[in-house]
Amino acid sequence: MTTTTRRVLLGRVAGAFGVRGELKLLSWTDPRAALFGYQPWILRTADGEREVSGVRGRDTGKTVIASFPDVATREQAEALHGAEIWVPRDRLPPPAEGEYYWVDLEGLAVQTIDGLALGTVSHLFDTGANAVMVVDGERQRLIPFVIGQYVTAVDLDAGRVTVDWDPDF
């Protein structure tokens, strides 16, 4: 899948805020309010998907509050609880040198420094200390995504991540 067709999950509707149709959002951008700069969004609900633009909002310090153009009541806001906020991958700025978007790593082949294939990157998750790659192969492996220590090379063009990792672990 190319970066032009991939989507990135940037947030989720956490609930209604007040009585005027405002919504509380969970944002995974940094800073959190940067989420508003990636519109239009693809809003995914249990009922399907729709494109949303013109969303305004603010970071209150505790949460991100948003106003959707077509949501005017608390009931309408509550109906969007749990909706996911997606954007096409190509709308994100290029990562800095030595940094990677997790979505760009998903699906890459993983091999040891000795050339032994371990599988492919299923997904990554954050432990607080560092990110962890979930590698699916003949069995699942959890490899810390620590560049220089465990991850020795990432070659997006070749579709490969090279790791310094004991294949028996």
Side-chain angles (χ1 to χ4, degrees):
M1 188 179 287
T2 65
T3 57
T4 57
T5 58
R6 284 192 165 198
R7 293 179 178 176
V8 179
L9 179 64
L10 291 186
R12 179 173 284 126
V13 176
F17 179 82
V19 296
R20 296 188 186 140
E22 289 184 306
L23 300 119
K24 291 186 283 187
L25 304 181
L26 297 175
S27 172
W28 295 299
T29 62
D30 185 20
R32 295 186 305 184
L35 175 69
F36 298 105
Y38 298 110
Q39 296 182 54
W41 297 338
I42 301 161
L43 198 63
R44 184 182 295 171
T45 65
D47 297 329
E49 295 181 352
R50 66 184 173 107
E51 191 171 283
V52 177
S53 59
V55 179
R56 297 183 352 209
R58 64 195 181 280
D59 187 345
T60 67
K62 289 186 176 185
T63 190
V64 176
I65 304 299
S67 297
F68 284 44
D70 58 345
V71 177
T73 68
R74 181 173 182 86
E75 292 74 24
Q76 290 173 320
E78 287 173 342
L80 291 174
H81 183 266
E84 297 174 336
I85 301 166
W86 292 82
V87 298
R89 163 60 183 92
D90 61 359
R91 304 276 285 318
L92 300 177
E97 183 69 30
E99 294 183 357
Y100 305 94
Y101 287 114
W102 289 0
V103 69
D104 294 342
L105 300 172
E106 292 171 359
L108 296 185
V110 179
Q111 70 179 30
T112 66
I113 55 176
D114 297 324
L116 179 67
L118 298 179
T120 59
V121 178
S122 167
H123 62 283
L124 291 95
F125 64 91
D126 191 11
T127 64
N130 54 266
V132 174
M133 279 191 309
V134 178
V135 179
D136 288 338
E138 80 281 353
R139 65 183 177 90
Q140 191 176 72
R141 290 180 175 86
L142 304 178
I143 302 174
F145 191 80
V146 180
I147 295 176
Q149 185 173 1
Y150 302 112
V151 177
T152 61
V154 176
D155 189 338
L156 295 175
D157 294 329
R160 182 177 51 247
V161 177
T162 304
V163 295
D164 187 357
W165 194 254
D166 182 350
D168 294 327
F169 189 67

